[in-house]
Amino acid sequence: MKNAFLPIAASPHHLVTQSDVIIILVHGKDNGVTGPSFAALNDYTANALKEACQHVGFFGETKKRTVTLPSLPGAPGCAVILHDCSPKPAAGDGDADGGEEDGADADNGDSAETTAAVAHSASAHSDHARQRIRLKGERVGGQMRALLEAHTNWKRITVVDDGEVSVPLLQGFVEGFWLYDWTDTRFRTKMVIAQPKRKLTVAASDSVLEALSPRVADAEHAVNAVAFCKSMVSAPGNVLYPETMAKEAKALSKIGVTVEVLTETAIEKAGMRALLGVAKGATNKPRVVVMQWQGGAETQDTLALVGKGVTFDSGGLSLKPPKSMEDMKWDMAGAGAVIATMKLVALRRAKANVVGIVGLVENMPDGNAQRPGDIVSSLSGQTIEVLNTDAEGRLVLADLLTYVQTRYSPSTVIDLATLTGAIIVALGHEHGGLFANSDGLARQLTQAGAGSGDKLWRLPLHPRYNELLKSDLADMKNIGGAGAGSITAAQFLQRFVQGSTKWAHLDIAGMAWQSSTPAGVRKGASGFGVRLLDHYITNEWVQ
């Protein structure tokens, strides 16, 4: 997707002749009155634009939020799309076309975006407002890109923010437009509508364009990283397995990331026997990948990111039912998010010290597979009774947590994993689960989630839950009882956090894959976690 900028002073004739479609973002349309760009284009078309809007119901009681006008007198070769960015009317107010998904714009009291940490200062209020505007722009950008899907002849798109000329809104629009532009057609040979290469032009004042340009460059890096994550998560298990996923990570060395790939022999030598136990039944052998970005000073603290990378999870001998197994190609989404975040950190040349580590395994059943009841010794020296081989991700993370802390002594560790189905029971597909041993870290991640759109909700940790992990034969068992499944999984991982290390666990099982999505968001891999970590690193770690 190409991007261009254009001063809003450009004449309507220039806009019409240089665009296949002009998208005008309208802020309020009472009595048919809109902003200066609408007025200028209406004058250019001898009032045809306003008359067409009245005819299709954009103005008046029906309050349609989006209208598409294929052509106008005086502009026969240029379509016009108008979208009303005003707050969505309350239920029953006659929003004829259903409007956009404006849930994040309503202060309903139960949103992570309304956390007290955000409300404590005027600057936080201001940041929060900008974040909400950007997220609104992102939703609208995705919706507008979706409208273009059937119009392959519309290649030159111009967007105009008509009235409240806003840098965050336009930045979000560009991000949402680009994010929707990515789709996975690698494995299709039929029924594919080829999408053309499009050019998106932003028309605004010189001052807005000056502020917007560097933000769009940053947004392009973020979108590329999210698309990279989506491409990994979308790939089936016969295409993406430990060796090939390790190669994806190894390619980051080309942009300055130091990458080390540990083979099965090296993993065994390191003592990661809990991780190796998961991989015992698989033909495709495990890999551990360590990625290091040293962008800060040597005296600066290190952040460690840890990702679960089960490239296919059959459940092992504790075999999953078929319907629960068919989607398990995306059980590596935590590792995908970590690899993609390391790519983004390098693309931004971030002045921070970040280490990413991912454990890449397949969990398969065969005669050599780990058995329910086996006891393994982890890298930390703690022993684990494996009562359910489908609770495998925590075994992988346990050794990774020990390894990265022992080798790099990070002050903060964040792990991401599609760890439990129980988190979907608790939170559905609206929030990722957040567990942390530090209130400050939890607040920072919650705020980063609100700003990025990758929302988190904190759940408790408490010593009483440890009772559920007691084993008669080993230091712990790998599952708890029937309840609190996500919490006991987090309590299990906490046992591998050393000393005063700040630690957070993100259970993203409900967020990695989108089967049903709001308008303007594609189904499939979400790339959840990449922009969340990017916001967190930018806010808290970049010097």
Side-chain angles (χ1 to χ4, degrees), residues 523-534:
K523 293 182 179 181
S526 68
F528 186 93
V530 178
R531 289 190 296 165
L532 162 68
L533 292 174
D534 176 47

Side-chain angles (χ1 to χ4, degrees), residues 5 12 35 87 102 118 165 169 221 224 264 296 400 432 480 486 513 533 542:
F5 299 98
D102 270 348
V118 175
V165 180
L169 184 77
H221 289 320
N224 285 340
E264 184 178 28
L400 296 180
S486 298
W513 192 270
L533 292 174
V542 172

Side-chain angles (χ1 to χ4, degrees), residues 43-386:
D43 289 343
Y44 180 77
T45 60
N47 208 43
L49 178 58
K50 186 173 182 179
E51 290 178 353
C53 288
Q54 291 171 334
H55 178 71
V56 300
F58 188 63
F59 299 129
E61 294 182 0
T62 57
K63 296 182 180 179
K64 293 188 74 172
R65 299 181 71 78
T66 306
V67 298
T68 301
L69 307 173
S71 65
L72 293 168
C78 180
V80 177
I81 298 175
L82 295 106
H83 179 81
D84 184 9
C85 291
S86 304
K88 183 180 179 180
D93 280 358
D95 188 3
D97 64 352
E100 68 209 58
E101 294 292 331
D102 270 348
D105 295 310
D107 287 330
N108 55 20
D110 64 354
S111 169
E113 295 178 331
T114 60
T115 177
V118 175
H120 279 167
S121 68
S123 61
H125 276 300
S126 178
D127 288 343
H128 182 45
R130 284 193 294 271
Q131 290 168 358
R132 289 174 56 183
I133 293 170
R134 187 192 63 76
L135 290 173
K136 173 187 277 289
E138 184 178 315
R139 290 192 298 276
V140 174
Q143 290 173 326
M144 295 301 101
R145 172 60 184 83
L147 283 178
L148 304 182
E149 199 81 349
H151 300 279
T152 56
N153 58 317
W154 291 352
K155 302 177 183 179
R156 301 172 300 166
I157 300 96
T158 299
V159 60
V160 182
D161 184 8
D162 201 20
E164 301 177 9
V165 180
S166 161
V167 173
L169 184 77
L170 289 172
Q171 176 189 352
F173 184 96
V174 172
E175 286 189 59
F177 198 94
W178 280 345
L179 283 169
Y180 194 91
D181 200 53
W182 183 88
T183 183
D184 194 350
T185 59
R186 289 174 292 178
F187 309 108
R188 287 183 177 270
T189 61
K190 300 176 181 178
M191 302 295 291
V192 179
I193 300 175
Q195 291 295 314
K197 291 184 178 180
R198 291 187 168 95
K199 176 183 178 182
L200 177 63
T201 298
V202 179
S205 66
D206 288 337
S207 60
V208 167
L209 294 181
E210 183 178 359
L212 181 64
S213 295
R215 297 192 185 191
V216 168
D218 282 345
E220 186 173 9
H221 289 320
V223 169
N224 285 340
V226 171
F228 178 46
C229 181
K230 287 182 176 184
S231 70
M232 288 187 284
V233 176
S234 295
N238 63 324
V239 172
L240 193 81
Y241 44 91
E243 183 181 3
T244 55
M245 192 169 182
K247 288 180 180 178
E248 295 281 1
K250 184 66 175 176
L252 300 187
S253 60
K254 298 176 183 177
I255 56 173
V257 179
T258 302
V259 182
E260 180 184 1
V261 178
L262 279 63
T263 63
E264 184 178 28
T265 301
I267 297 169
E268 174 71 43
K269 185 176 180 181
M272 289 187 264
R273 288 176 289 276
L275 182 152
L276 286 173
V278 177
K280 283 179 65 177
T283 300
N284 291 314
K285 299 307 179 183
R287 297 287 187 273
V288 168
V289 183
V290 183
M291 299 154 284
Q292 186 175 12
W293 173 258
Q294 194 76 17
E298 289 186 9
T299 55
Q300 192 173 327
D301 284 348
T302 295
L303 167 68
L305 306 177
V306 181
K308 170 191 171 184
V310 180
T311 58
F312 187 80
D313 181 18
S314 70
L317 290 180
S318 303
L319 197 67
K320 293 178 182 288
K323 288 299 293 182
S324 299
M325 195 192 304
E326 63 187 32
D327 293 331
M328 284 299 100
K329 65 181 183 180
W330 52 255
D331 207 21
M332 38 58 65
V338 169
I339 295 171
T341 299
M342 295 303 297
K343 178 177 183 178
L344 183 51
V345 166
L347 289 174
R348 290 199 192 284
R349 320 309 291 176
K351 294 182 178 180
N353 298 331
V354 186
V355 174
I357 184 170
V358 296
L360 310 178
V361 299
E362 281 186 347
N363 186 23
M364 299 292 283
D366 81 348
N368 193 48
Q370 185 164 255
R371 295 162 290 261
D374 283 0
I375 295 176
V376 295
S377 180
S378 68
L379 177 59
S380 71
Q382 300 177 86
T383 57
I384 306 163
E385 185 181 12
V386 182

